[in-house]
Amino acid sequence: MTTPFPFTAVVGQDDLRLALLLNAVSPAVGGVLVRGEKGTAKSTAVRALSALLPEVAVVPGCRFSCDPAAPDPGCPDGPHEGGGGAARPARMVELPVGASEDRLVGALDIERALAEGVKAFEPGLLADAHRGILYVDEVNLLHDHLVDLLLDAAAMGASYVEREGVSVRHAARFLLVGTMNPEEGELRPQLLDRFGLTVEVAASREPDQRVEVVRRRLAYDDDPAAFAARWADEEAAVRARIVAARELLPSVRLGDGALRQIAATCAAFEVDGMRADIVMARTATALAAWAGRTDVLAEDVRQAALLALPHRRRRNPFDAPGLDEDKLDETLEESGGDDGPDTDPDGPGGGGGRPPAEGPEGPRGGGDAGAPAEAGEAGEAGEAERPAGAGSGERSPVGAAEPFRTKVLSVPGIGEGAAGRRSRARTEHGRTTGARRPGGALTKLHLAATVRAAAPHQRARGRSGPGLVVRRDDLRQATREGRESNLVLFVVDASGSMAARQRMSAVKGAVVSLLLDAYQRRDKVGLVTFRGSAADVALPPTSSVDAAAARLESLPTGGRTPLAAGLLKAHDVLRVERLRDPARRPLVVVVTDGRATGGVEPVALASRAARLFAAEGVASVVVDCESGPVRLGLAGRLAGELGGGAVTLDELRADSIAGLVRDVQGTSRRAA
């Protein structure tokens, strides 16, 4: 068995370690969501926590880890008789991103259930994680229906498996920990709210701390057992402190003053619902127990707010979570708390917000590097005077106009891509549209079709009782229709002809509006820009629309209009993505005035590039950004060559979007 990296040897990340420890003390806090860039010890810290949890007593032979002192009366392996139990370490169960629903909640043997009327149930990961830790790495990439099942079980403390009238229930109480890199996409706000605490982690920029990270990691890789032995005393001390805090927790008093501070803080930050108040109360109580106190102080309320509120007060999907600490301190002071934040955490009564004491090897930290800067290109003659400090022919970025609500752009036909909320698709979840023979393992039984297939053979199979004799060949898989997510690839003209500040602001506002729609529909997005003499992939296809919005906001303009280069670059992006994810269908949104300049025969080259999309039946739309009293209609001509529709920039709002959708769908049907 692999020796885990010691929890107390993790360098830095004080908030992360504290949040995990508070959940170990009081699982009712509701779990932890850890957000941060790659390489910041998120997974290492979570995996190390399991070694600190006290052993659990279980009923021997029970697959659902029932407590012998209070066995679950509805346990599928029960009823359990009284008697002694067996102690085993607390488990940490990992849920893979690509897991199926049956792997998560368990599966019934449908054939035995129909033929014999027995509940032959194979437990899933939720049963394995009962009374332990359930860890989901990259939880933001988990399919929505799995996240729903996961969080429902975490909230109710039980898992329910329903298959065509056969029901199984078992206890599922666990410490839920999810990690995610925001660059890969966000969780839905209602799912964010179901995690008790959230922690933002980042790599240290201090050279000494980064050196310590590397030193400890190399020492662990060379000899994991010897490295763990060096930290055994610190691990034992933290383990004992967790046990002591659990025993003290029922005695901690949450007074009316602390409750008023909690209520005032949640009201001041305008969080939705009452879950934040409850989580803050449980967190503050756990902080007091962790510090060895029986009274909740103002410092506990403050620390609880910093952990429980940042992810609950978000309003715009592109806004990063955070909390104004000055406003927090002011609210706590106004709500009547005499005890302000503890300025001496080592003093009497302190320690509620401190992670474990430092070990034998000095300071802690972390380490990753920042992002590279971007440079612009030279522009074309005839532009208006550029702002001071901009590059030759280049204008500084302008902000996006106020975004607006869009109606649905959908790809025509029926796809088979990843679950989402945009275009029609054959999916595992949705309305039932028919039945078929299962190609592999049966996942969704179509009961009526199965009965119809088995009924004619009952006499030949010697049926003599009330039970239906069902064979494997009789089983029918339900076919269902739902919605899929798509790849929305934006191809944005950033040339000098688009550089008028008011026009570019409106263009960015329109694209941001479509990005918001893509966020809500769980799409992947990509961004190709063209200006000067070439096109660039400003953002490869990703689930992080936040990153796309940030790149768009900082986009400079200027130079000629290499339209053909932009289209060819977009075609290359789609070709590569088709190899990586062939089931995900694309929608190309070209934002341009249609002018092609620079190089030899720029208009003819752009026309030939556009016909590549039409030949492959790629759904597309051109957002016509041409303005002024004289209009050449070049964007409309480009849309025709792409095989898609066109809409002017002024028509992007409100009812005109409906026409845009009709154009995309109608043209794509003709292309098909």
Side-chain angles (χ1 to χ4, degrees):
M1 181 177 179
T2 303
T3 302
F5 193 91
F7 186 85
T8 52
V10 173
V11 179
Q13 311 300 8
D14 291 352
D15 288 343
L16 168 58
R17 291 186 294 139
L18 178 62
L20 292 172
L21 290 169
L22 292 178
N23 275 272
V25 171
S26 175
V29 166
V32 186
L33 176 65
V34 187
R35 297 165 44 92
E37 58 196 11
K38 54 187 176 293
T40 49
K42 301 187 298 293
S43 300
T44 299
V46 175
R47 293 188 175 99
L49 178 67
S50 60
L52 297 179
L53 297 182
E55 289 188 336
V56 295
V58 298
V59 174
C62 177
R63 297 174 297 167
F64 302 89
S65 301
C66 279
D67 186 348
D72 180 7
C75 176
D77 284 356
H80 299 299
E81 298 180 359
R88 64 160 176 79
R91 292 174 180 161
M92 194 199 73
V93 177
E94 294 195 42
L95 171 61
V97 169
S100 66
E101 180 179 337
D102 288 345
R103 184 71 186 99
L104 176 63
V105 301
L108 288 169
D109 188 331
I110 301 297
E111 188 171 354
R112 289 189 64 192
L114 287 174
E116 304 173 28
V118 298
K119 297 179 181 179
F121 180 70
E122 183 66 27
L125 295 176
L126 291 180
D128 293 341
H130 180 46
R131 305 177 68 197
I133 301 173
L134 183 62
Y135 172 48
V136 190
D137 193 14
E138 304 294 352
V139 65
N140 51 322
L141 303 183
L142 199 65
H143 285 179
D144 285 350
H145 70 281
L146 292 183
V147 177
D148 291 339
L149 290 170
L150 179 66
L151 296 180
D152 283 345
M156 296 185 297
S159 175
Y160 294 85
V161 184
E162 305 285 346
R163 290 291 188 277
E164 307 295 344
V166 182
S167 175
V168 171
R169 172 212 166 273
H170 65 83
R173 293 183 298 275
F174 47 81
L175 168 56
L176 176 63
V177 182
T179 59
M180 60 175 285
N181 183 349
E183 293 180 357
E184 295 296 333
E186 289 285 357
L187 280 173
R188 302 198 313 263
Q190 59 267 41
L191 299 184
L192 281 171
D193 185 56
R194 297 295 291 272
F195 283 93
L197 309 180
T198 187
V199 177
E200 290 279 339
V201 296
S204 172
R205 299 298 185 256
E206 292 293 331
D208 290 344
Q209 292 180 338
R210 297 173 74 94
V211 167
E212 189 63 27
V213 170
V214 176
R215 180 182 291 119
R216 294 187 188 184
R217 187 69 212 189
L218 292 178
Y220 172 77
D221 290 341
D222 288 342
D223 192 341
F227 183 81
R230 292 165 58 189
W231 292 85
D233 291 343
E234 286 75 12
E235 294 282 286
V238 174
R239 191 178 299 111
R241 189 173 175 184
I242 291 174
V243 173
R246 284 186 172 186
E247 294 174 351
L248 182 62
L249 186 65
S251 303
V252 175
R253 187 181 67 88
L254 184 65
D256 290 343
L259 281 172
R260 280 194 297 270
Q261 286 185 317
I262 290 171
T265 301
C266 292
F269 285 100
E270 299 179 347
V271 298
D272 296 328
M274 295 298 297
R275 185 175 284 118
D277 303 63
I278 297 171
V279 171
M280 272 191 67
R282 289 172 174 167
T283 305
T285 303
L287 279 162
W290 176 248
R293 289 185 268 101
T294 56
D295 288 313
V296 173
L297 305 180
E299 67 187 74
D300 300 323
V301 176
R302 185 181 192 276
Q303 183 66 63
L306 293 174
L307 294 173
L309 296 188
H311 60 304
R312 291 187 165 89
R313 63 177 305 270
R314 299 182 64 201
R315 292 295 179 265
N316 189 311
F318 298 154
D319 292 340
L323 212 62
D324 185 340
E325 295 194 33
D326 291 336
K327 180 179 178 180
L328 173 60
D329 292 336
E330 181 181 343
T331 302
L332 291 174
E333 184 177 353
E334 291 178 352
S335 59
D338 295 332
D339 297 320
D342 192 0
T343 58
D344 182 13
D346 292 323
R354 288 185 62 84
E358 290 193 1
E361 300 192 29
R364 294 174 165 86
D368 262 349
E374 297 182 1
E377 298 177 0
E380 65 183 1
E383 294 182 13
E385 184 179 354
R386 61 182 180 274
S392 175
E394 179 180 297
R395 299 185 177 214
S396 58
V398 298
E402 188 70 20
F404 52 87
R405 181 175 295 276
T406 69
K407 294 185 179 178
V408 182
L409 282 80
S410 60
V411 178
I414 301 179
E416 296 181 345
R421 301 189 186 90
R422 183 172 296 278
S423 305
R424 295 172 58 199
R426 287 181 286 270
T427 63
E428 288 293 319
H429 299 271
R431 62 185 182 88
T432 301
T433 58
R436 60 178 175 82
R437 290 180 181 271
L442 182 71
T443 56
K444 296 290 182 182
L445 179 74
H446 195 296
L447 182 58
T450 298
V451 171
R452 286 197 299 268
H457 308 292
Q458 297 305 295
R459 180 175 297 178
R461 293 173 182 173
R463 173 183 169 183
S464 58
L468 187 68
V469 181
V470 179
R471 303 280 170 82
R472 174 68 188 176
D473 291 342
D474 301 329
L475 300 179
R476 294 295 182 267
Q477 173 84 23
T479 57
R480 302 191 176 194
E481 183 177 311
R483 292 282 170 176
E484 67 176 0
S485 63
N486 298 107
L487 167 60
V488 182
L489 182 61
F490 293 93
V491 186
V492 180
D493 184 349
S495 65
S497 62
M498 298 281 290
R501 300 186 71 84
Q502 184 176 2
R503 188 199 309 180
M504 200 61 197
S505 177
V507 167
K508 288 186 177 182
V511 178
V512 167
S513 301
L514 295 172
L515 283 171
L516 282 167
D517 183 68
Y519 166 81
Q520 294 163 354
R521 301 187 187 283
R522 314 300 288 176
D523 293 315
K524 290 180 71 173
V525 296
L527 179 62
V528 172
T529 64
F530 56 94
R531 57 189 290 272
S533 59
D536 295 311
V537 181
L539 185 71
T542 174
S543 297
S544 176
V545 294
D546 306 59
R551 298 292 174 88
L552 182 72
E553 190 72 19
S554 61
L555 179 67
T557 58
R560 296 186 179 276
T561 311
L563 178 57
L567 295 175
L568 290 174
K569 182 68 73 174
H571 188 267
D572 287 343
V573 170
L574 294 184
R575 177 179 56 81
V576 173
E577 278 301 301
R578 197 174 293 120
L579 296 174
R580 292 175 176 170
D581 191 357
R584 190 183 296 271
R585 298 186 294 163
L587 173 64
V588 178
V589 180
V590 184
V591 184
T592 181
D593 57 10
R595 299 180 184 180
T597 61
V600 180
E601 298 184 344
V603 176
L605 285 174
S607 177
R608 287 198 292 271
R611 292 193 188 105
L612 292 174
F613 293 87
E616 296 174 0
V618 176
S620 62
V621 61
V622 177
V623 179
D624 184 0
C625 301
E626 191 175 28
S627 62
V630 178
R631 304 199 178 195
L632 303 178
L634 299 176
R637 189 182 309 168
L638 173 64
E641 292 168 338
L642 284 167
V647 60
T648 66
L649 190 61
D650 293 337
E651 294 170 345
L652 272 175
R653 293 180 177 274
D655 295 340
S656 62
I657 296 293
L660 170 62
V661 176
R662 286 195 296 269
D663 287 342
V664 173
Q665 293 178 334
T667 306
S668 298
R669 289 194 190 98
R670 292 194 297 272

